[in-house]
Amino acid sequence: MAAPTTGTSDPAEGQSATAVAAGSAAAVGGGGSTASPPTLENDPSLPPSLCIPITSSSSVPSDEQPNFIEIFPEEISNVPSSTLSKVLTDEDAPLSIWSDAALMYVQNRSTVSGSDLLQEACKREEAGVSGANNADRVRTLASAGIALLTQVNRGGDASASSTKDAKDIAQRDEDVRQASDKQFNRATKIDGLFPMTWIGRGLLHLTADRVDQAQFFFETTLKQCGQVLPALLGMAAVRYKKEDYAGALELYGRAMALFPDKSGSETRVGFGLACYKLGQVDRAKAAFRRAHAMEPKNVEAMVGLAILDLASMDETAKDYRARTENAIRLLSTANLVDHSNALVQNHLANHYFWKWAPVPGTVSVEAGSNVVTTSQPMNLDTGERVRIGVEGFESYVAEDEEEEDDDDAAAAGANTLRLKDAWNGESATGLKLWKKDYDRVVALARGALNSTTVKEMQAESLFILARVHHIRDEMEQAAKFYDRACKFAPHLAPARFGLAQTLIWDESYDEAAAHLRLVLGTSANATDALAALGLLEAKSGMDRRGAFSYLKKAIDLDPLNPDLVLLEALALQQQEADYSKSLECYRKASVLMESRGTSPPAEVLTNMGVLCHETKQYKDAEEYYARALRTLDEDGAEESSLAIDEDAVRHKDNALFWNYVDAGVRATAKGMVLTVDGPLPGGVKVGDHVKVGNTFESVVTALEGKT
């Protein structure tokens, strides 16, 4: 039973706060610039540096020394906020310089450092030691509140949130909002008409999804102060949250036209998201690309560009591999910049779920053997999924059962590992081996789950974790994660289909059918769901006409898929009257398998033999039974949609082919001799397979005594 495919890959998923972050960054440290003709003074080509006058008696400058400390924007990331705070305090810097320093931190994406600096400035203001005028005081308080909100919008620093669960993050964000509101209240007491405080309150409401209240503050600012950049971006975010993407696009465009430099990369990201929602994919990619060029560390720009590139790739193109690697490189870089970005982590987890990672060294294989000789020791654990050679042979690492063979191999200086399945090709040497790095997938998915409070994003993380358990055959754990994912995002069809699969495994057929119907409610053309529901309905016998309508629709959508035809055959074999039709479907599925270069597995061949037996096609039955036995003798490792114990058709004349029959006697085993209490059971002959107890199996080689 295969794990379902991936869920969403929407670059706008969980990113509506991007526009809020743009408004926050634009507002911190200033009252919000209004539109004016660009000049060198109000729109410089280079960002200004931070100049701190030296006033302390211990560092009075000489004639040859500068009388100020200058810090350039590219240097601020190397200056700890605690160090800068001490310098500003020692030099008794005015509050305006504290605000300018905090703005430089925020623009460099060091939101926590900027916020910490402003909180220290607010303490000086509250203690009355700043000596600042009311304008600087209210600007500092409003900036402090907005900087706190910037932490909420951007998820804070990675180190601060990577170890927290969703409840911790939600509580932290609420605490931050309350602290922010406190600063806005203090600013309002000093000057109730200061526009920066209005913008801050608008951002506060926006982070709490109180969209109408946020709109009031942004519109008031625009009416009273004109085209203020933070208010424009705030209104754009409001339009985006109200799903007025055309309105958001117009406002983002106006902000970029009026403030080409100050609007920054975040505004381009917002513009790109609005374009994507309007179906303007090429325009969205151009916006993300421009944002990335303006600010190479803009995580949202990297994510948007990578996802859209991956979605638009043609697998047959010559540059497919190079473009894919470039997109994954962007996502990996984004994860390095921000370890707490759930969208990045989920997409990387999904990528590594499908990716085969090469293992250093080569391997040698022998036909029909499940022991692989390696050129060097390979760090592989029992149960790990591996792939050998370019033909795509896949299996799992098994426990070493035969210690003597291992001792012989060790004595010969060979490194070996044992697989669950035997090599089904010719003997070969120098083959590459790959493995699935599911531990990395789990780490990324759990990191994403613990880094966000967005239910849809959490559901995606849970879905990825469920798929890992599913592929490892840990069905109970898979069912739990699928169920949680469905509760967080009821419309996540792949997670619901996975839940249905685990319920089928648990033989909870009615509940599985209910979930499959929900899947078809959101994805009407999901062929796997159609086929599975059709088979369940056919087995229940309650609505056979409806069952076969599901199966027919699935096959019509994907007529060359042998698994779908096999499911129709299984549904038909539920009633004796349909045996001929079932056999016809089996034969069709076998042809489709062989056209793909694979042979029908033993279960399929056996069912075909039984159906021929029942319909009195004895010669064909004998042929299919013989092919099934040969297949079992060759490798016995082929898999199909059939479950042997549940789906295989049994015939009264071939019961011994499947199960041991109780002989009705008790026996005592000693060495290689089995002593039976009483007469020998009738029907037992030399060559028969017998089973004693629950585990011991052997073959009868001789009979002595009376039957």
Side-chain angles (χ1 to χ4, degrees), residues 61-67:
S62 66
D63 294 338
E64 293 134 14
Q65 292 178 322
N67 59 358

Side-chain angles (χ1 to χ4, degrees), residues 298-321:
N298 188 309
V299 172
E300 291 79 10
M302 287 188 278
V303 173
L305 189 57
I307 293 174
L308 292 185
D309 273 345
L310 288 171
S312 63
M313 288 180 190
D314 180 4
E315 294 185 9
T316 63
K318 293 182 179 180
D319 62 345
Y320 172 74
R321 183 173 180 179

Side-chain angles (χ1 to χ4, degrees), residues 487-690:
K487 289 177 179 177
F488 281 9
H491 298 296
L492 186 56
R496 193 169 297 281
F497 179 69
L499 178 59
Q501 286 182 303
T502 58
L503 289 168
I504 292 172
W505 169 84
D506 195 42
E507 299 183 5
S508 302
Y509 299 127
D510 291 340
E511 193 175 350
H515 282 288
L516 289 171
R517 292 188 187 95
L518 290 174
V519 171
L520 295 175
T522 57
S523 304
N525 293 332
T527 55
D528 289 340
L530 286 165
L533 181 57
L535 180 59
L536 289 179
E537 295 281 6
K539 283 189 172 185
S540 70
M542 298 177 62
D543 184 10
R544 285 181 61 80
R545 177 176 296 181
F548 286 103
S549 68
Y550 288 128
L551 287 164
K552 185 179 184 303
K553 183 176 180 181
I555 294 172
D556 288 344
L557 289 168
D558 191 2
L560 300 180
N561 188 333
D563 287 334
L564 300 180
V565 182
L566 280 178
L567 289 175
E568 184 181 24
L570 287 171
L572 287 166
Q573 75 184 30
Q574 304 303 312
Q575 292 194 5
E576 187 174 349
D578 293 327
Y579 279 178
S580 296
K581 293 181 180 178
S582 177
L583 181 58
E584 182 181 346
C585 288
Y586 274 121
R587 284 172 172 156
K588 180 181 178 181
S590 297
V591 171
L592 290 173
M593 287 182 182
E594 290 167 354
S595 68
R596 295 186 173 191
T598 58
S599 300
E603 309 92 85
V604 171
L605 294 169
T606 305
N607 277 11
M608 295 173 73
V610 174
L611 290 171
C612 287
H613 199 155
E614 287 286 352
T615 55
K616 303 186 185 306
Q617 302 175 47
Y618 299 119
K619 187 175 180 179
D620 288 345
E622 182 180 359
E623 179 184 345
Y624 286 127
Y625 285 144
R627 288 180 60 187
L629 287 170
R630 285 197 300 270
T631 301
L632 288 171
D633 289 339
E634 288 172 0
D635 50 54
E638 296 292 332
E639 296 181 356
S640 73
S641 300
L642 298 175
I644 296 177
D645 293 335
E646 178 183 342
D647 298 322
V649 180
R650 291 176 175 84
H651 187 278
K652 61 183 179 181
D653 292 338
N654 74 345
L656 292 178
F657 186 87
W658 292 103
N659 296 315
Y660 287 98
V661 177
D662 190 350
V665 297
R666 301 184 66 81
T668 303
K670 184 176 182 180
M672 299 181 64
V673 178
L674 190 65
T675 303
V676 177
D677 297 337
L680 294 174
V684 177
K685 59 184 180 297
V686 174
D688 282 353
H689 290 259
V690 294

Side-chain angles (χ1 to χ4, degrees), residues 46 74 96 186 233 278 367 373 409 427 483 490 507 516 599 629 643:
L46 294 175
E74 60 270 19
S96 60
R186 290 175 60 192
L233 298 178
L278 292 170
T373 304
S427 300
D483 185 55
E507 299 183 5
L516 289 171
S599 300
L629 287 170

Side-chain angles (χ1 to χ4, degrees), residues 323-336:
R323 290 181 60 190
T324 301
E325 290 177 351
N326 183 63
I328 297 303
R329 192 179 300 112
L330 273 176
L331 288 174
S332 300
T333 303
N335 190 46
L336 289 174

